[in-house]
Coordinates of all heavy atoms in Angstrom, one line a residue:
Y402 N 136.9 83.0 142.7 CA 137.5 82.8 144.0 C 139.0 82.8 143.9 O 139.5 81.9 143.3 CB 136.9 81.6 144.7 CG 137.6 81.2 146.0 CD1 137.4 82.0 147.1 CD2 138.4 80.2 146.1 CE1 138.0 81.8 148.3 CE2 139.1 79.9 147.3 CZ 138.8 80.7 148.4 OH 139.4 80.4 149.6
D403 N 139.7 83.7 144.6 CA 141.2 83.7 144.5 C 141.8 83.1 145.7 O 143.0 82.8 145.7 CB 141.7 85.0 144.1 CG 141.8 86.0 145.3 OD1 141.4 85.7 146.4 OD2 142.2 87.2 145.1
G404 N 141.1 83.0 146.8 CA 141.6 82.3 148.0 C 142.5 83.1 148.9 O 142.6 82.7 150.1
G405 N 143.2 84.0 148.4 CA 144.1 84.8 149.3 C 145.2 83.9 149.9 O 145.5 82.9 149.4
S406 N 145.7 84.4 151.0 CA 146.8 83.8 151.6 C 146.5 82.4 152.2 O 147.4 81.5 152.1 CB 147.5 84.7 152.7 OG 146.6 85.0 153.7
P407 N 145.3 82.2 152.8 CA 145.0 80.8 153.3 C 145.1 79.8 152.1 O 145.7 78.7 152.3 CB 143.6 80.9 153.9 CG 143.5 82.3 154.3 CD 144.2 83.1 153.2
R408 N 144.5 80.1 151.0 CA 144.5 79.1 149.9 C 145.9 79.0 149.4 O 146.4 77.8 149.0 CB 143.6 79.7 148.7 CG 143.6 78.8 147.5 CD 142.7 77.6 147.7 NE 143.6 76.4 148.0 CZ 143.2 75.3 148.7 NH1 142.0 75.2 149.2 NH2 144.0 74.3 148.9
A409 N 146.7 80.0 149.3 CA 148.1 79.9 148.8 C 148.9 79.0 149.7 O 149.7 78.2 149.3 CB 148.7 81.3 148.7
L410 N 148.7 79.2 151.0 CA 149.5 78.3 152.0 C 149.0 76.9 151.9 O 149.9 76.0 151.9 CB 149.3 78.9 153.4 CG 150.0 78.1 154.5 CD1 151.5 78.1 154.3 CD2 149.7 78.7 155.9
L411 N 147.7 76.6 151.8 CA 147.2 75.3 151.6 C 147.7 74.6 150.3 O 148.0 73.4 150.3 CB 145.7 75.2 151.7 CG 145.1 75.7 153.1 CD1 143.6 75.8 152.9 CD2 145.5 74.8 154.2
D412 N 147.8 75.4 149.3 CA 148.4 74.9 148.0 C 149.8 74.5 148.2 O 150.3 73.5 147.6 CB 148.2 75.9 146.9 CG 146.8 76.1 146.4 OD1 145.9 75.2 146.7 OD2 146.5 77.1 145.7
W413 N 150.6 75.3 148.9 CA 152.0 75.0 149.2 C 152.1 73.7 150.0 O 152.9 72.8 149.7 CB 152.6 76.2 150.0 CG 154.1 75.9 150.4 CD1 155.2 75.8 149.6 CD2 154.5 75.6 151.8 NE1 156.3 75.5 150.4 CE2 155.9 75.4 151.7 CE3 153.9 75.5 153.0 CZ2 156.7 75.1 152.8 CZ3 154.7 75.2 154.1 CH2 156.0 75.0 154.0
L414 N 151.2 73.5 151.0 CA 151.2 72.3 151.8 C 150.9 71.1 150.9 O 151.6 70.0 151.0 CB 150.2 72.3 152.9 CG 150.6 73.3 154.1 CD1 149.4 73.4 155.0 CD2 151.8 72.9 154.8
T415 N 150.0 71.3 150.0 CA 149.6 70.2 149.0 C 150.8 69.9 148.2 O 151.2 68.7 148.0 CB 148.4 70.6 148.2 OG1 147.3 70.8 149.0 CG2 148.1 69.6 147.1
A416 N 151.5 70.9 147.6 CA 152.6 70.6 146.7 C 153.8 70.0 147.4 O 154.5 69.1 146.9 CB 153.1 72.0 146.1
E417 N 154.0 70.4 148.7 CA 155.2 69.9 149.4 C 154.9 68.5 150.1 O 155.9 67.8 150.3 CB 155.6 70.9 150.5 CG 156.2 72.2 149.9 CD 157.5 72.0 149.3 OE1 158.4 71.3 149.9 OE2 157.7 72.5 148.2
F418 N 153.7 68.3 150.6 CA 153.5 67.1 151.5 C 152.5 66.1 151.1 O 152.3 65.1 151.8 CB 153.2 67.7 152.9 CG 154.3 68.6 153.4 CD1 154.1 69.9 153.5 CD2 155.5 68.0 153.8 CE1 155.1 70.7 154.0 CE2 156.5 68.8 154.3 CZ 156.3 70.2 154.4
S419 N 151.8 66.3 149.9 CA 150.8 65.3 149.5 C 151.5 64.1 148.9 O 152.6 64.2 148.2 CB 149.9 65.9 148.5 OG 149.0 66.8 149.2
V420 N 150.9 62.9 149.1 CA 151.4 61.7 148.5 C 150.4 61.2 147.5 O 149.2 61.2 147.8 CB 151.6 60.6 149.6 CG1 151.9 59.3 149.0 CG2 152.6 61.1 150.6
P421 N 150.8 60.9 146.3 CA 149.9 60.4 145.2 C 149.0 59.3 145.7 O 149.5 58.4 146.4 CB 150.8 60.0 144.1 CG 152.0 60.8 144.3 CD 152.2 60.9 145.8
G422 N 147.7 59.4 145.4 CA 146.8 58.3 145.8 C 146.2 58.5 147.2 O 145.4 57.6 147.6
M423 N 146.6 59.5 147.9 CA 146.0 59.8 149.2 C 145.3 61.1 149.2 O 145.5 61.9 148.4 CB 147.1 59.8 150.3 CG 147.8 58.4 150.4 SD 148.8 58.3 151.9 CE 147.6 58.0 153.1
A424 N 144.4 61.3 150.2 CA 143.7 62.6 150.3 C 144.7 63.7 150.4 O 145.8 63.5 151.0 CB 142.8 62.6 151.6
T425 N 144.3 64.8 149.8 CA 145.3 65.9 149.7 C 145.9 66.3 151.0 O 147.1 66.5 151.1 CB 144.6 67.2 149.2 OG1 143.9 66.8 148.0 CG2 145.5 68.3 148.9
N426 N 145.2 66.4 152.1 CA 145.7 66.8 153.4 C 146.1 65.7 154.3 O 146.6 65.9 155.4 CB 144.7 67.7 154.1 CG 143.4 67.0 154.4 OD1 143.2 65.9 154.0 ND2 142.6 67.7 155.1
A427 N 146.1 64.4 153.8 CA 146.3 63.3 154.7 C 147.8 63.3 155.3 O 148.0 62.7 156.3 CB 146.0 62.0 154.0
N428 N 148.7 63.8 154.6 CA 150.1 63.7 155.0 C 150.7 65.1 155.4 O 151.9 65.1 155.6 CB 150.9 63.1 153.8 CG 150.5 61.7 153.6 OD1 150.6 60.8 154.4 ND2 149.9 61.5 152.4
W429 N 150.0 66.1 155.3 CA 150.6 67.4 155.7 C 151.2 67.5 157.0 O 152.4 67.9 157.2 CB 149.5 68.5 155.6 CG 149.0 68.8 154.3 CD1 149.4 68.4 153.1 CD2 147.8 69.7 154.0 NE1 148.6 68.9 152.1 CE2 147.6 69.7 152.6 CE3 147.0 70.4 154.8 CZ2 146.6 70.4 152.0 CZ3 145.9 71.1 154.2 CH2 145.8 71.1 152.8
I430 N 150.5 67.0 158.1 CA 151.0 67.1 159.4 C 152.3 66.2 159.6 O 153.3 66.7 160.1 CB 149.9 66.8 160.4 CG1 148.8 67.7 160.1 CG2 150.5 66.8 161.9 CD1 148.1 68.5 161.0
A431 N 152.1 65.0 159.2 CA 153.3 64.1 159.3 C 154.5 64.6 158.5 O 155.6 64.5 159.0 CB 152.9 62.6 158.9
G432 N 154.2 65.1 157.3 CA 155.3 65.6 156.5 C 156.0 66.8 157.1 O 157.2 66.9 157.1
L433 N 155.2 67.7 157.6 CA 155.7 68.9 158.3 C 156.6 68.5 159.5 O 157.7 69.0 159.7 CB 154.6 69.8 158.7 CG 154.0 70.7 157.6 CD1 152.6 71.2 158.1 CD2 154.9 71.9 157.3
R434 N 156.1 67.6 160.3 CA 156.8 67.1 161.5 C 158.1 66.4 161.1 O 159.1 66.6 161.7 CB 155.9 66.2 162.3 CG 154.9 67.1 163.1 CD 153.9 66.2 163.9 NE 153.0 67.0 164.6 CZ 151.8 66.6 165.1 NH1 151.4 65.3 164.8 NH2 151.1 67.4 165.8
D435 N 158.0 65.6 160.0 CA 159.2 64.9 159.6 C 160.3 65.8 159.1 O 161.5 65.7 159.4 CB 158.9 63.9 158.4 CG 158.2 62.6 158.9 OD1 158.2 62.4 160.1 OD2 157.6 61.9 158.0
R436 N 159.9 66.8 158.3 CA 160.8 67.8 157.7 C 161.3 68.8 158.8 O 162.6 69.1 158.8 CB 160.2 68.6 156.6 CG 161.2 69.5 155.9 CD 160.7 70.3 154.8 NE 160.3 69.4 153.7 CZ 159.7 69.8 152.6 NH1 159.4 71.1 152.4 NH2 159.3 69.0 151.7
Y437 N 160.5 69.3 159.7 CA 160.9 70.4 160.5 C 161.1 70.0 162.0 O 161.6 70.8 162.8 CB 159.8 71.5 160.5 CG 159.8 72.1 159.1 CD1 158.7 71.9 158.3 CD2 160.8 72.9 158.6 CE1 158.6 72.4 157.0 CE2 160.8 73.4 157.3 CZ 159.7 73.1 156.5 OH 159.6 73.7 155.2
G438 N 160.7 68.7 162.4 CA 161.0 68.3 163.7 C 160.0 68.6 164.8 O 159.6 67.7 165.5
T439 N 159.6 69.8 164.9 CA 158.6 70.2 165.9 C 157.5 71.0 165.3 O 157.7 71.6 164.2 CB 159.3 71.1 167.0 OG1 159.7 72.3 166.5 CG2 160.5 70.4 167.7
D440 N 156.4 71.0 166.0 CA 155.3 71.8 165.5 C 155.6 73.3 165.4 O 155.2 74.0 164.5 CB 154.0 71.6 166.4 CG 153.4 70.2 166.2 OD1 154.0 69.3 165.5 OD2 152.3 70.0 166.7
E441 N 156.4 73.8 166.4 CA 156.7 75.2 166.4 C 157.6 75.5 165.2 O 157.4 76.6 164.6 CB 157.5 75.5 167.7 CG 156.6 75.4 169.0 CD 156.4 74.0 169.5 OE1 157.2 73.0 169.1 OE2 155.5 73.8 170.2
T442 N 158.5 74.7 164.9 CA 159.4 74.9 163.7 C 158.6 74.8 162.4 O 158.8 75.6 161.5 CB 160.6 73.9 163.7 OG1 161.2 74.0 165.0 CG2 161.6 74.3 162.6
A443 N 157.6 73.9 162.4 CA 156.8 73.7 161.2 C 155.9 75.0 161.0 O 155.7 75.5 159.9 CB 155.9 72.5 161.3
L444 N 155.3 75.5 162.1 CA 154.5 76.7 162.1 C 155.4 77.9 161.6 O 154.9 78.7 160.8 CB 153.9 77.0 163.4 CG 152.7 76.2 163.7 CD1 152.3 76.4 165.2 CD2 151.5 76.6 162.8
A445 N 156.6 77.9 162.1 CA 157.5 79.0 161.6 C 157.8 78.9 160.1 O 157.9 79.9 159.4 CB 158.8 78.9 162.4
A446 N 157.9 77.7 159.6 CA 158.1 77.5 158.2 C 156.9 77.9 157.4 O 157.0 78.5 156.3 CB 158.5 76.0 157.9
M447 N 155.7 77.6 157.9 CA 154.5 78.0 157.3 C 154.4 79.5 157.3 O 154.0 80.1 156.3 CB 153.3 77.4 158.0 CG 153.2 75.9 157.7 SD 151.9 75.1 158.8 CE 150.4 76.0 158.5
Q448 N 154.8 80.1 158.4 CA 154.8 81.6 158.5 C 155.7 82.2 157.5 O 155.4 83.2 156.8 CB 155.1 82.0 159.9 CG 155.1 83.5 160.1 CD 155.6 84.0 161.4 OE1 155.8 83.2 162.3 NE2 155.8 85.3 161.6
E449 N 156.9 81.6 157.3 CA 157.9 82.1 156.4 C 157.4 82.0 154.9 O 157.5 82.9 154.2 CB 159.2 81.4 156.5 CG 160.1 82.0 157.6 CD 160.4 83.4 157.4 OE1 160.9 83.8 156.3 OE2 160.2 84.2 158.3
Y450 N 156.7 80.9 154.6 CA 156.1 80.8 153.3 C 155.1 81.9 153.1 O 155.0 82.5 152.1 CB 155.5 79.4 153.1 CG 154.9 79.3 151.7 CD1 155.7 79.2 150.6 CD2 153.6 79.6 151.5 CE1 155.2 79.2 149.3 CE2 153.0 79.6 150.2 CZ 153.8 79.4 149.1 OH 153.3 79.5 147.9
A451 N 154.2 82.0 154.1 CA 153.1 83.0 154.0 C 153.7 84.4 153.8 O 153.2 85.2 153.0 CB 152.2 83.0 155.2
K452 N 154.8 84.7 154.5 CA 155.5 86.0 154.4 C 156.0 86.2 153.0 O 156.1 87.4 152.6 CB 156.6 86.0 155.5 CG 157.3 87.3 155.6 CD 158.4 87.3 156.7 CE 159.1 88.6 156.8 NZ 160.1 88.5 157.9
S453 N 156.4 85.2 152.3 CA 156.9 85.3 151.0 C 155.9 85.6 149.9 O 156.2 85.9 148.7 CB 157.7 84.1 150.6 OG 156.8 83.0 150.3
L454 N 154.6 85.5 150.3 CA 153.5 85.8 149.3 C 153.5 87.3 148.9 O 153.9 88.1 149.7 CB 152.2 85.3 149.9 CG 152.1 83.8 150.1 CD1 150.8 83.6 150.9 CD2 152.1 83.0 148.9
P455 N 152.9 87.6 147.7 CA 152.8 89.0 147.3 C 152.1 89.8 148.4 O 151.2 89.3 149.0 CB 152.0 88.9 146.0 CG 152.2 87.5 145.6 CD 152.4 86.7 146.7
S456 N 152.5 91.1 148.5 CA 151.9 91.9 149.6 C 150.4 92.1 149.4 O 149.7 92.4 150.3 CB 152.6 93.3 149.6 OG 152.5 93.9 148.4
D457 N 149.9 92.0 148.2 CA 148.5 92.2 148.0 C 147.7 90.9 147.9 O 146.5 90.8 147.4 CB 148.2 93.0 146.7 CG 148.7 92.3 145.4 OD1 149.4 91.2 145.5 OD2 148.3 92.7 144.3
V458 N 148.2 89.8 148.4 CA 147.6 88.5 148.3 C 146.2 88.5 148.9 O 145.3 87.7 148.4 CB 148.5 87.4 148.9 CG1 148.6 87.6 150.4 CG2 148.0 86.0 148.6
D459 N 145.9 89.2 149.9 CA 144.6 89.3 150.5 C 143.8 90.5 150.1 O 142.8 90.8 150.8 CB 144.7 89.2 152.1 CG 145.2 87.9 152.6 OD1 144.7 86.9 152.0 OD2 145.9 87.8 153.6
R460 N 144.1 91.1 149.0 CA 143.4 92.3 148.6 C 141.9 92.2 148.5 O 141.2 93.1 148.8 CB 144.0 92.8 147.3 CG 143.6 91.9 146.1 CD 144.3 92.2 144.8 NE 144.1 91.2 143.8 CZ 144.6 90.0 143.8 NH1 145.4 89.6 144.7 NH2 144.3 89.1 142.8
Q461 N 141.4 91.0 148.1 CA 140.0 90.8 147.9 C 139.3 90.8 149.2 O 138.1 91.2 149.3 CB 139.7 89.5 147.2 CG 138.3 89.2 147.0 CD 138.0 87.9 146.3 OE1 138.9 87.1 146.0 NE2 136.8 87.6 145.9
F462 N 140.0 90.5 150.3 CA 139.3 90.4 151.6 C 139.7 91.5 152.5 O 139.1 91.6 153.6 CB 139.7 89.0 152.3 CG 139.4 87.9 151.4 CD1 140.4 87.2 150.7 CD2 138.1 87.5 151.2 CE1 140.1 86.2 149.8 CE2 137.8 86.4 150.4 CZ 138.8 85.8 149.7
E463 N 140.6 92.4 152.1 CA 141.0 93.6 152.9 C 141.2 93.2 154.3 O 140.7 93.8 155.2 CB 139.9 94.7 152.8 CG 139.7 95.2 151.3 CD 138.7 96.3 151.2 OE1 138.3 96.8 152.3 OE2 138.3 96.5 150.1
I464 N 142.1 92.2 154.5 CA 142.5 91.8 155.8 C 144.0 91.9 156.0 O 144.7 91.9 155.0 CB 142.0 90.4 156.2 CG1 142.5 89.4 155.2 CG2 140.5 90.4 156.3 CD1 142.1 88.0 155.6
G465 N 144.5 91.9 157.1 CA 145.9 91.9 157.4 C 146.2 92.6 158.7 O 145.3 93.1 159.3
Y466 N 147.4 92.8 159.0 CA 147.8 93.4 160.2 C 149.1 94.1 160.0 O 150.0 93.5 159.4 CB 147.9 92.3 161.3 CG 148.5 92.8 162.6 CD1 147.7 93.4 163.5 CD2 149.9 92.5 162.9 CE1 148.2 93.8 164.7 CE2 150.4 93.0 164.1 CZ 149.5 93.6 165.0 OH 150.1 94.1 166.2

Side-chain angles (χ1 to χ4, degrees):
Y402 173 69
D403 76 1
S406 62
R408 180 75 261 153
L410 181 58
L411 297 171
D412 287 346
W413 175 73
L414 292 173
T415 298
E417 290 292 313
F418 301 107
S419 289
V420 174
M423 297 191 79
T425 307
N426 61 354
N428 295 295
W429 292 350
I430 305 227
L433 283 160
R434 287 175 174 158
D435 285 347
R436 183 179 297 176
Y437 297 108
T439 67
D440 286 12
E441 293 79 18
T442 307
L444 281 170
M447 289 169 54
Q448 180 185 354
E449 275 303 306
Y450 179 80
K452 184 178 182 178
S453 74
L454 296 171
S456 61
D457 66 345
V458 68
D459 286 326
R460 71 191 170 284
Q461 181 178 5
F462 305 103
E463 296 182 16
I464 57 176
Y466 172 79

